[in-house]
Amino acid sequence: MKKTRQENKPDREGYYGEFGGAYIPEVLHANVQELGRVYRKILAEPSFRRELRGLLVDYAGRPTPLYAAGRLSARHGCRVYLKREDLTHTGAHKINNALGQALLARRMGKRRIIAETGAGQHGVAAATACALLDMPCAVYMGAVDMQRQQLNVQKMRMLGAEVRPVRGGNMTLKDATNEAIRDWCCHPSDTHYIIGSTVGPHPYPDLVARLQSVIGKEIRGQLPSREGRDYPDLLVACVGGGSNAAGTILPYLADRRVSILLAEAAGEGLESGKSAATIHLGSVGVIHGSRTLLMQTDDGQVTEPYSISAGLDYPGVGPLHAHLARVGRAEVVAITDREALDAALELTRLEGIIPALESAHAIAALSRRRFRADEVVVVCLSGRGDKDMEAYIEHANIH
Ligand SMILES: *Cc1c(COP(=O)(O)O)cnc(C)c1O
């Protein structure tokens, strides 16, 4: 088994322990290698950092507040802070990554952007960044997902992106990703592929984690004035592909004083056959260019995942997260649809914040723990709930 010396970084081939790497078709080697060669250098350039920082502050609304949630704290018997990614432009953390990768693409001389999207959240973030930076953008989306997420399709079109329906396979995210990779194969020199989470071939998981680590860095800057120290006892985040979680925990990974609790989607239950709890139920395999845990049948067919939350409905998981679970650095709990819906309503009634269904999984994870009164807990509230109102009206027993 390979060893990762620094926990928050993959090794030279992009492995976190046994997970990661770059399993890609021959025609993409040059692209992925070029990205791997330049990304850290460009991200470290002062002029790049200035440019990205400027957009994150003036355009995306950073830093996001670290809110001391008084009534939620009383409910759980500890000191709960919410990192308010729901207050960013476009309403979720995905904009941090989309802006960063679009700027990176421009510095690499790539004029055209492609992206894949499932529920449409990443597609909207990519289309937003491309409108701002005046870059043509094509978003691949399964035809079934387009039907389910018409509002996001219309938003992407209004933003000037071309939404390309994918009719192969189950017509969902997996198939859209395959089409995006095919596009990239055909346009290797002028196109950058913006992957939306800490998944895909190396260096994407590390690139996305670094771009999202602004979340954790801000927490470290915001905690001292409240708590007199810059670290919490516990960090909590939901995991679809893993980007909001990675961004929250990255600056604290080497700090053993900080525990990590990750929430994945159990859907209708771990034993129900309708679930997206990849870390609980998955086995080792290769998906979207990375060796990681994935939900698959005994003969290696990827199984269609299910969660009420479209953003957690992914059959794989980032290699960093698979590794952190494997070595015990992170505890992973599986939260059902019902628990997430109840947590969403509870947060709304206690704090006046309607969370995204994804983020509600992280809130629900709090109920799995008993806390000491002085424990400091930071939950990443990854997004706002506007997009999920239909589900809340249908299921959340609102009265
Ligand atoms: C997409 C999304 C997620 C899941 O993606 P990660 O890469 O795991 O963060 C979580 N929350 C919201 C609001 C999302 O839009």
Side-chain angles (χ1 to χ4, degrees):
M1 191 158 73
K2 299 195 173 172
K3 275 228 162 15
T4 311
R5 254 167 295 146
Q6 268 168 303
E7 269 154 336
N8 56 351
K9 287 191 198 131
D11 70 13
R12 279 175 46 107
E13 278 97 52
Y15 284 90
Y16 304 89
E18 65 177 292
F19 302 111
Y23 298 79
I24 47 171
E26 188 68 38
V27 281
L28 281 182
H29 278 186
N31 274 25
V32 170
Q33 267 166 13
E34 183 197 7
L35 186 61
R37 212 171 36 246
V38 304
Y39 80 105
R40 272 179 308 198
K41 192 166 137 277
I42 294 177
L43 260 53
E45 280 169 8
S47 65
F48 178 88
R49 293 162 59 107
R50 241 188 338 268
E51 192 177 12
L52 178 57
R53 188 71 209 150
L55 290 183
L56 290 175
V57 170
D58 297 329
Y59 182 73
R62 305 209 70 93
T64 58
L66 184 68
Y67 165 64
R71 296 186 67 208
L72 190 67
S73 296
R75 161 79 177 74
H76 290 283
C78 60
R79 302 156 81 84
V80 183
Y81 291 85
L82 300 177
K83 183 57 174 163
R84 300 288 310 274
E85 294 303 295
D86 60 316
L87 294 178
T88 55
H89 178 47
T90 70
H93 66 290
K94 287 193 173 74
I95 193 72
N96 304 327
N97 172 55
L99 287 172
Q101 282 201 50
L103 283 182
L104 174 67
R106 206 160 68 174
R107 290 204 176 214
M108 289 175 71
K110 312 280 177 178
R111 309 208 55 83
R112 174 176 175 266
I113 295 296
I114 58 171
E116 86 296 337
T117 198
Q121 296 301 109
H122 171 53
V124 169
T128 299
C130 288
L132 178 71
L133 299 174
D134 192 19
M135 298 171 94
C137 177
V139 180
Y140 289 89
M141 189 168 186
V144 167
D145 286 337
M146 283 179 71
Q147 200 58 40
R148 287 196 288 221
Q149 305 287 340
Q150 291 184 28
L151 187 63
N152 278 338
V153 173
Q154 297 306 339
K155 281 187 190 171
M156 287 185 265
R157 289 187 173 139
M158 185 164 174
L159 287 159
E162 182 196 341
V163 183
R164 298 193 174 170
V166 176
R167 299 213 162 75
N170 291 314
M171 302 193 245
T172 58
L173 177 60
K174 178 162 47 74
D175 316 294
T177 305
N178 291 337
E179 272 319 299
I181 290 173
R182 212 159 291 154
D183 180 315
W184 206 22
C185 287
C186 299
H187 305 92
S189 58
D190 71 335
T191 297
H192 176 70
Y193 177 18
I194 300 188
I195 292 184
S197 189
T198 43
V199 299
H202 176 69
Y204 278 103
D206 186 48
L207 168 61
V208 177
R210 283 169 190 250
L211 290 173
Q212 291 291 3
S213 69
V214 65
I215 301 171
K217 287 178 189 157
E218 286 178 6
I219 294 170
R220 205 164 54 190
Q222 291 165 319
L223 264 182
S225 67
R226 325 291 181 77
E227 292 293 337
R229 55 173 156 111
D230 68 358
Y231 65 95
D233 298 299
L234 179 69
L235 288 167
V236 186
C238 66
V239 177
S243 68
N244 86 87
T248 303
I249 66 180
L250 205 66
Y252 292 108
L253 267 182
D255 187 341
R256 296 289 156 161
R257 297 170 299 187
V258 182
S259 303
I260 297 167
L261 179 60
L262 303 177
E264 57 177 11
E268 295 188 356
L270 283 178
E271 261 93 72
S272 68
K274 291 187 75 182
S275 166
T278 310
I279 295 175
H280 281 81
L281 300 175
S283 52
V284 178
V286 171
I287 183 169
H288 302 152
S290 167
R291 182 183 149 92
T292 186
L293 295 172
L294 66 134
M295 313 250 295
Q296 55 188 333
T297 59
D298 291 340
D299 56 352
Q301 297 291 319
V302 175
T303 51
E304 197 68 15
Y306 165 80
S307 161
I308 192 171
S309 151
L312 303 185
D313 191 351
Y314 177 69
V317 66
L320 168 64
H321 309 68
H323 174 66
L324 295 176
R326 171 79 35 115
V327 301
R329 178 68 182 93
E331 183 193 348
V332 185
V333 292
I335 302 295
T336 63
D337 290 356
R338 186 74 258 161
E339 289 173 285
L341 288 163
D342 290 346
L345 188 58
E346 181 179 87
L347 181 69
T348 304
R349 293 287 168 87
L350 288 175
E351 301 287 352
I353 297 170
I354 301 179
L357 263 169
E358 293 85 1
S359 322
H361 286 70
I363 300 291
L366 294 173
S367 298
R368 299 288 181 87
R369 287 256 175 135
R370 290 285 159 270
F371 296 100
R372 294 186 321 270
D374 63 348
E375 253 177 287
V376 175
V377 179
V378 177
V379 183
C380 182
L381 200 74
S382 54
R384 66 179 179 222
D386 305 47
K387 68 186 179 56
D388 297 312
M389 281 314 297
E390 258 179 69
Y392 290 147
I393 291 162
E394 195 178 335
H395 301 286
N397 298 324
I398 300 170
H399 42 238

